């Protein structure tokens, strides 16, 4: 099956805007016609009011002029000259109005189309598996959503419709030139293949150049985004000079890509100017010869009008080449955007059961999972978490603890086995309802650059500020929030940098509590915080886990001593499970070693 080009895919998004397309086409045609009338009116003015003893001919032009003479009552009075000048002014005014509406409607249409594509891209990205974001640089995706989108918009605002308008103008101009004087027009047409060939070569070269430019822009965005995000590490380890050298290398590649683009422009446009000047010279030369040899179909007014027509014919060719540059950049950007949009890594959401007020009985049966094929992280795990119970999972780094909660939420798809909640496989639930019933508090809390209130409610209009305050009081963090400037309306800035790690954790606990989940998961939520914050978090944890199925992944064993069951993992397998007291009784056991090592260290 033939693959649809990115250009055609972009055009498909214009289907809902057929009325705007019609008006853009109308103004493009109207603009071409009124623009071509100006030189003709100038021709008539010069031949009828400035050149005396005009000879009678039977040319098509003379027939048109006879009509004009009839309109002006067959004389050359000053009043009719003034009237002709007024008509020329009106034509010019109409051209300005047509130009305005054409450009405005084309740009408006382009922005509407890009708005639709951008929304579809963002929706598509929000459904991707976490594995995709593990492998793709954030800077690259930002480039696709922002700068590439603007380049797609330019296909309409500065590319396609401008080219259509220019082609219409050229065809109408050629028609007028043939009507006025076909001999001189033939001279112009003999030169046109040269500039058309040059334009074709230029466009092919520019497509390759623009593709290289977009690659380097994506690399540049990725590098800058990562370094700005990790600036603390860069400065902490005195990496400024090293990172600067890396940046210079990437920036140099970006510069060279653009210089290639500039080189092609620098070659093409002077060539186009030379060809235009040669054509004009030939027209003047042969036109003068025709007049001197007594050719009655050639006049001075025609030569002057042809001077304007050649500019109107060749300038669009030059501009078309320039607009093809814009088109090429837009199409290359569209290639990249549609590559992401056609990437099929969405979490499959074929479930039909709504997960509402789950009991929270979780069961894993012989679950296998690998991030990379052939490298299993979870190796045949089976476990059960009963309704209302608190289960803790402990183990060394890389044992597969966090992977378990990612699989329960279906951030990743298991390789084999079954994960069930309330005896129903998780893939039978609709994805949105399943995740609504599960709340997770991570070790690395992410807060948006907004108020505390909005970070808690996540713009859910059904959650009032009073409800948030009541919840904060129940888990014991209301006083902490009210101690901040503006309280619940305190702006935490990007990633919550205005708060300490412990304070961010408290906000995350409140965000989880306010959603009233059936299942609560705490992933290292109490690690790396001060004692005061830990005290608040312990109280919040007790409130959150009460009568609710809870899974706690913990590094500090003191936080999970009272768990109903403790699962000990090592290298992707469950090696021990039981209560805290039961596990301590296992001689030389994994849990006992972990417990002893922590308490020995603390002593």
């Amino acid at each position: 099956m033939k693959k649809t080009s990115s250009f055609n895919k972009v055009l498909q998004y214009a289907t809902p805007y057929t009325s705007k397309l019609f008006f853009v086409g109308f103004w493009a045609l109207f603009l071409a016609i009124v623009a071509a009338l100006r030189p003709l009116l100038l021709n008539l003015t010069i031949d009828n009011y400035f050149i005396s003893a005009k000879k009678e001919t039977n040319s098509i032009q003379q027939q048109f002029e006879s009509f004009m003479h009839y309109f002006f009552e067959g004389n050359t009075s000053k009043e009719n000259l003034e009237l002709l000048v007024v008509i020329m002014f009106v034509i010019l005014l109409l051209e300005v109005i047509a130009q305005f509406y054409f450009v405005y409607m084309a740009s408006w249409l382009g922005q509407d189309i890009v708005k639709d594509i951008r929304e579809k891209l963002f929706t598509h990205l929000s459904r991707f598996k976490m594995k995709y974001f593990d492998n793709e640089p954030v800077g690259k995706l930002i480039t696709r959503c922002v700068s590439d989108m603007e380049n797609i918009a330019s296909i309409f605002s500065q590319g396609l419709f401008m080219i259509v308008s220019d082609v219409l103008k050229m065809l109408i101009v050629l028609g007028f030139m043939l009507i006025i004087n076909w001999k001189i027009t033939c001279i112009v047409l003999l030169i046109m293949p040269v500039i058309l060939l040059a334009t074709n070569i230029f466009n092919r070269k520019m497509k390759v150049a623009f593709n290289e430019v977009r690659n380097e822009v994506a690399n540049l965005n990725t590098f800058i985004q990562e370094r700005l995000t990790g600036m603390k590490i860069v400065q902490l380890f005195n990496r400024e000079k090293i990172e600067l050298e890396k940046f210079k290398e990437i920036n140099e590649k970006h510069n060279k890509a653009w210089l290639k683009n500039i080189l092609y422009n620098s070659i093409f446009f002077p060539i186009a100017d030379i060809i235009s000047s040669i054509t004009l010279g030939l027209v003047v030369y042969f036109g003068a010869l025709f007049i001197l040899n007594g050719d009655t179909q050639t006049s001075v007014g025609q030569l002057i009008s042809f001077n304007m027509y050649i500019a109107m014919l060749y300038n669009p060719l030059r501009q078309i080449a320039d607009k093809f540059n814009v088109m090429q950049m837009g199409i290359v950007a569209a290639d990249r955007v549609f590559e992401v949009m056609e990437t099929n890594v969405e979490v499959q959401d074929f479930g039909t059961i709504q997960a509402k007020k789950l009991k929270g009985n979780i069961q894993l049966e012989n679950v296998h999972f690998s991030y990379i094929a052939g490298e299993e992280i979870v190796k045949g795990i089976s476990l059960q978490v009963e309704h209302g119970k608190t289960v803790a999972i402990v183990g060394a780094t890389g044992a597969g603890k966090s992977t378990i909660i990612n699989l329960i939420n279906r951030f990743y798809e298991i390789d084999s086995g079954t994960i069930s909640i309330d005896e129903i496989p998780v893939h039978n639930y609709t994805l949105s309802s399943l995740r609504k019933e599960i709340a997770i508090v991570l070790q690395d809390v992410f807060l948006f650059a907004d108020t505390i209130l909005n970070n808690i409610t996540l713009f859910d209009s059904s959650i009032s500020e009073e409800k948030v305050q009541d919840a904060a009081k129940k888990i014991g963090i209301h006083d902490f929030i009210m101690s901040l400037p503006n309280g619940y309306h305190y702006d935490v800035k990007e990633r919550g940098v205005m708060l300490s790690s412990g304070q961010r954790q408290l906000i995350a606990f409140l965000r989880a509590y306010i959603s009233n989940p059936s299942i609560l998961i705490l992933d290292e939520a109490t690690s790396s915080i001060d004692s005061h914050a830990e005290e608040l978090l312990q109280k919040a944890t007790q409130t959150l886990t009460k009568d609710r199925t809870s899974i706690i992944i913990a590094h500090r064993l003191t936080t999970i001593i009272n768990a109903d069951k403790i699962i000990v993992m090592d290298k992707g397998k469950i090696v021990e499970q039981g209560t805290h007291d039961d596990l301590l009784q296992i001689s030389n056991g994994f849990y006992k070693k972990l417990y002893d090592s922590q308490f020995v260290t603390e002593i």
Side-chain angles (χ1 to χ4, degrees):
M1 186 172 68
K2 187 177 180 180
K3 186 178 179 182
T4 305
S5 68
S6 295
F7 179 68
N8 288 333
K9 291 173 187 175
V10 171
L11 287 183
Q12 290 172 7
Y13 282 87
T15 304
Y17 305 102
T18 50
S19 60
K20 289 181 182 177
L21 274 171
F22 170 78
F23 281 111
V24 170
F26 168 78
W27 287 112
L29 179 61
F30 185 74
L31 176 62
I33 293 172
V34 295
L37 283 174
R38 286 189 296 110
L40 178 60
L41 290 172
L42 181 62
N43 175 12
L44 296 176
T45 303
I46 292 173
D47 285 345
N48 287 289
Y49 293 94
F50 295 94
I51 305 297
S52 60
K54 183 168 177 58
K55 299 178 181 179
E56 295 294 331
T57 69
N58 293 318
S59 68
I60 298 175
Q61 183 207 6
Q62 281 297 309
Q63 294 175 18
F64 179 77
E65 289 177 358
S66 296
F67 169 79
M68 295 298 294
H69 278 297
Y70 175 78
F71 177 76
F72 293 118
E73 299 180 354
N75 59 59
T76 57
S77 65
K78 178 182 177 182
E79 290 77 11
N80 285 337
L81 174 60
E82 291 173 349
L83 180 57
L84 190 57
V85 171
V86 169
I87 293 174
M88 293 174 66
F89 177 77
V90 171
I91 292 294
L92 181 61
L93 183 61
L94 289 174
E95 185 178 356
V96 171
I97 294 172
Q99 183 76 22
F100 166 76
Y101 278 108
F102 169 68
V103 173
Y104 179 75
M105 294 294 291
S107 300
W108 185 5
L109 178 60
Q111 288 302 320
D112 279 344
I113 291 171
V114 165
K115 175 179 66 69
D116 293 343
I117 297 176
R118 186 184 284 118
E119 288 177 358
K120 187 171 182 180
L121 175 62
F122 184 81
T123 301
H124 191 58
L125 283 171
S126 65
R127 294 171 179 167
F128 277 4
K129 300 175 184 177
M130 288 298 108
K131 186 176 181 179
Y132 179 83
F133 299 104
D134 293 340
N135 299 324
E136 290 294 331
V138 175
K140 173 185 173 181
L141 298 178
I142 291 173
T143 302
R144 301 294 174 268
C145 293
V146 183
S147 59
D148 280 344
M149 284 296 179
E150 291 306 316
N151 286 326
I152 293 175
S154 66
I155 290 178
F156 296 93
S157 61
Q158 302 174 42
L160 176 63
F161 294 132
M162 296 296 178
I163 292 173
V164 170
S165 176
D166 287 340
V167 170
L168 280 173
K169 187 181 294 184
M170 290 168 61
L171 291 174
I172 291 173
V173 164
L174 275 173
F176 274 68
M177 291 170 70
L178 287 168
I179 290 172
I180 293 172
N181 193 310
W182 67 270
K183 293 180 182 178
I184 300 178
T185 304
C186 287
I187 297 172
V188 176
L189 292 175
L190 287 173
I191 307 298
M192 279 193 69
V194 179
I195 195 168
L196 289 173
L197 177 62
T199 302
N200 182 50
I201 295 172
F202 175 70
N203 289 335
R204 286 191 281 109
K205 294 290 184 181
M206 287 305 297
K207 183 175 182 179
V208 177
F210 276 131
N211 195 29
E212 188 175 342
V213 167
R214 297 315 302 163
N215 279 332
E216 297 306 328
V217 167
N219 292 337
L220 197 61
N221 284 346
T222 299
F223 182 90
I224 293 174
Q225 188 273 334
E226 287 183 345
R227 270 54 184 187
L228 290 179
T229 303
M231 187 56 68
K232 183 181 290 185
I233 300 299
V234 172
Q235 294 182 358
L236 185 64
F237 289 92
N238 295 316
R239 297 274 302 180
E240 292 91 342
K241 291 184 178 179
I242 296 174
E243 297 300 333
L244 176 60
E245 292 304 315
K246 290 183 178 179
F247 177 77
K248 285 181 178 179
E249 182 180 346
I250 296 174
N251 197 34
E252 180 65 23
K253 290 180 179 178
H254 177 264
N255 184 51
K256 287 181 178 178
W258 268 112
L259 285 176
K260 187 181 293 185
N261 182 301
I262 293 169
L263 174 63
Y264 294 146
N265 280 279
S266 300
I267 293 173
F268 173 76
F269 289 108
I271 290 175
D273 287 337
I274 291 171
I275 295 172
S276 178
S277 298
I278 291 172
T279 304
L280 179 59
L282 290 174
V283 166
V284 172
Y285 174 76
F286 284 103
L289 285 180
F290 293 155
I291 294 173
L292 291 175
N293 291 331
D295 186 348
T296 59
Q297 293 186 352
T298 306
S299 67
V300 174
Q302 290 177 1
L303 295 183
I304 294 175
S305 66
F306 264 70
N307 182 24
M308 296 177 65
Y309 278 133
I310 289 171
M312 294 174 67
L313 191 64
Y314 278 36
N315 283 343
L317 276 175
R318 295 175 70 250
Q319 292 168 7
I320 284 175
D322 195 28
K323 285 155 191 170
F324 263 115
N325 294 348
V326 176
M327 284 277 290
Q328 295 289 7
M329 183 172 284
I331 292 171
V332 168
D335 288 339
R336 299 174 181 281
V337 170
F338 286 118
E339 180 185 355
V340 177
M341 292 177 68
E342 291 168 3
T343 300
N344 188 20
V345 291
E346 292 186 14
V347 177
Q348 299 301 314
D349 188 11
F350 299 132
T352 57
I353 301 173
Q354 293 292 322
K356 291 184 177 179
K357 297 301 176 184
L358 299 172
K359 291 181 180 179
N361 291 310
I362 304 172
Q363 187 171 7
L364 281 72
E365 295 182 1
N366 196 28
V367 173
H368 292 260
F369 173 76
S370 55
Y371 291 104
I372 302 173
E375 300 179 14
E376 277 196 339
I377 301 298
V378 175
K379 305 173 182 178
I381 283 182
S382 297
L383 66 87
Q384 186 166 350
V385 183
E386 297 177 0
H387 162 64
K389 300 295 184 181
T390 297
V391 172
I393 303 178
V394 300
T397 301
K401 306 184 299 295
S402 296
T403 300
I404 295 296
I405 65 172
N406 287 331
L407 297 177
I408 293 173
N409 275 277
R410 294 194 64 204
F411 287 138
Y412 300 87
E413 298 288 5
I414 60 177
D415 297 338
S416 62
T418 305
I419 300 178
S420 303
I421 298 178
D422 293 351
E423 300 180 354
I424 298 175
V426 290
H427 61 263
N428 287 345
Y429 292 110
T430 63
L431 195 60
S432 59
S433 66
L434 173 67
R435 290 179 177 172
K436 191 173 183 179
E437 291 298 309
I438 303 174
I440 302 179
V441 180
L442 301 171
Q443 177 183 3
D444 184 17
V445 177
F446 186 92
L447 296 180
F448 296 96
D450 212 312
T451 64
I452 288 178
L453 180 64
N454 288 336
N455 270 288
I456 293 169
T457 64
L458 297 177
F459 297 97
D460 186 342
S461 58
S462 66
I463 304 175
S464 66
E465 184 173 348
E466 291 73 18
K467 185 177 180 181
V468 172
Q469 291 186 17
D470 290 340
K473 291 174 183 177
K474 289 179 182 178
I475 64 175
I477 66 173
H478 174 73
D479 293 338
F480 142 66
I481 295 176
M482 292 306 296
S483 68
L484 298 171
N486 299 321
Y488 288 85
H489 297 279
Y490 178 64
D491 190 345
V492 300
K493 305 299 180 183
E494 187 176 1
R495 299 183 67 89
V497 295
M498 302 303 292
L499 302 177
S500 67
S501 60
Q503 290 172 329
R504 291 195 294 271
Q505 287 284 6
L506 292 171
I507 299 301
F509 268 73
L510 181 54
R511 181 162 62 190
Y513 183 65
I514 202 72
S515 66
N516 192 28
S518 301
I519 299 170
L520 175 70
I521 298 175
L522 306 179
D523 186 4
E524 302 282 8
T526 59
S527 62
S528 304
I529 57 176
D530 56 70
S531 57
H532 175 67
E534 182 177 6
E535 185 179 338
L536 291 174
L537 288 173
Q538 288 291 351
K539 181 180 178 180
T541 301
Q542 292 174 7
T543 304
L544 263 69
T545 58
K546 185 179 180 181
D547 299 324
R548 180 179 284 119
T549 302
S550 305
I551 298 176
I552 301 175
I553 296 175
H555 175 71
R556 295 182 180 182
L557 300 185
T558 53
T559 62
I560 49 93
I561 289 176
N562 296 319
D564 297 301
K565 184 191 292 185
I566 299 174
I567 307 292
V568 185
M569 293 187 64
D570 184 57
K571 298 179 181 178
K573 295 182 178 180
I574 296 176
V575 292
E576 294 173 358
Q577 55 182 310
T579 64
H580 169 73
D581 293 333
D582 292 339
L583 293 175
L584 287 180
Q585 300 304 315
I586 300 176
S587 178
N588 203 31
F590 281 86
Y591 182 80
K592 189 175 189 310
K593 288 180 181 178
L594 287 172
Y595 185 80
D596 290 343
S597 65
Q598 281 194 20
F599 277 85
V600 168
T601 302
E602 291 178 6
I603 293 172

